[in-house]
Amino acid sequence: MSHAPRHVLILGGTTEARLLAATLAAEPGLRVTTSLAGRVAAPRLPDSEVRIGGFGGPEGLARWLREHAVDALIDATHPFADTISHHAAEAAATAHVPLLALRRPGWVPGPGDDWHPVASLDEAAATLPTLPGTRIFLTTGRMGLAHFAHLTDPWFLVRSVDAPEPPYPPRMATVLDRGPFTLEGERDLLRHHRIDTLVTKDSGAAATAAKLTAAREAGIPVVVVTRPPAPKDVPVAPDPAAAAAWLRSLVVD
């Protein structure tokens, strides 16, 4: 007999995932499980059931979906977590579980912005020597620092939640911090460290957007790594409210 979903698995690690889990936890008769990859030492946890760690590829995820009677899957991972997103699409198809991608809208350049879009971290690293700046604010996350490790001339300021591990650029300082970040704080950071170039991923959301405004005000060029394409044929919701509405509309067997 058809029924509303009874167990939803949220692939989390984002603010949107936590907000969605909090919203769905109030739904009667619905079990909500959030899965985190475990890459952050002290992640912010949702107020609902949590599992931490990988699944062992798409086959392992499909098996977990079946064994735990999951009847809806929501991929609310980071917009650049394309490996798990494609694993989720494959696993959902294998297990015959409805899948939704929750993706915050990307950033859009405005008047006065000097953006240099690139398709990858390697392309971002290749672009830096073509720009005049030598003091780089690198906000692409600690996991991708190896792509910049061969650049010996620029000085890098790296901001991440946890301390980075090598390989990374030889001339580098680290700021351990977690958003949201204020505009005034970003202005002070750029001034204090004499930053003349910003490198970022198009993560979207307001929590980390202040650096873009600060860069525009300072006339600093921004190298923006564009998002990888989403898995084909997977519906996308722009915010937790839309994702919750999608789940409430589902009828599963």
Side-chain angles (χ1 to χ4, degrees):
M1 179 179 294
S2 297
H3 57 82
R6 294 168 179 161
H7 186 191
V8 58
L9 174 64
I10 301 172
L11 304 178
T14 61
T15 299
E16 291 79 13
R18 292 193 301 275
L19 294 174
L20 177 61
T23 297
L24 296 181
E27 296 285 327
L30 179 63
R31 177 185 174 191
V32 180
T33 304
T34 298
S35 178
L36 303 176
R39 293 179 177 176
V40 176
R44 292 174 175 170
L45 300 177
D47 295 327
S48 58
E49 184 178 340
V50 176
R51 71 171 298 281
I52 297 179
F55 290 95
E59 299 84 0
L61 176 54
R63 183 168 55 252
W64 200 95
L65 295 175
R66 289 190 294 260
E67 291 176 351
H68 292 82
V70 172
D71 42 25
L73 176 62
I74 298 179
D75 172 18
T77 56
H78 193 276
F80 283 83
D82 55 324
T83 297
I84 185 59
S85 293
H86 283 84
H87 285 181
E90 185 176 337
T94 299
H96 303 289
V97 171
L99 169 65
L100 175 76
L102 172 53
R103 290 289 181 271
R104 66 185 77 142
W107 292 317
V108 178
D113 282 322
D114 181 14
W115 285 17
H116 300 259
V118 296
S120 66
L121 291 175
D122 283 334
E123 190 175 338
T127 299
L128 288 178
T130 71
L131 300 175
T134 59
R135 298 183 65 83
I136 317 298
F137 185 24
L138 187 57
T139 66
T140 54
R142 64 187 177 93
M143 305 301 291
L145 293 180
H147 297 270
F148 301 87
H150 65 286
L151 297 176
T152 58
D153 291 335
W155 178 86
F156 289 89
L157 178 66
V158 171
R159 182 165 65 193
S160 63
V161 176
D162 295 320
E165 298 179 356
Y168 45 64
R171 302 181 65 222
M172 185 186 84
T174 304
V175 174
L176 299 182
D177 204 353
R178 190 200 306 257
F181 302 105
T182 67
L183 177 56
E184 189 55 40
E186 299 292 63
R187 288 168 175 158
D188 289 344
L189 184 146
L190 296 184
R191 283 195 297 263
H192 178 75
H193 294 281
R194 295 178 286 119
I195 297 299
D196 53 24
T197 307
L198 169 64
V199 181
T200 187
K201 293 178 177 178
D202 180 17
S203 301
T208 56
K211 62 191 173 188
L212 300 172
T213 303
R216 180 193 311 134
E217 292 176 349
I220 292 173
V222 183
V223 179
V224 181
V225 182
T226 58
R227 296 181 178 190
K232 185 180 179 181
D233 298 328
V234 174
V236 177
D239 54 49
W246 172 85
L247 187 68
R248 295 185 188 109
S249 72
L250 283 182
V251 176
V252 297
D253 296 326

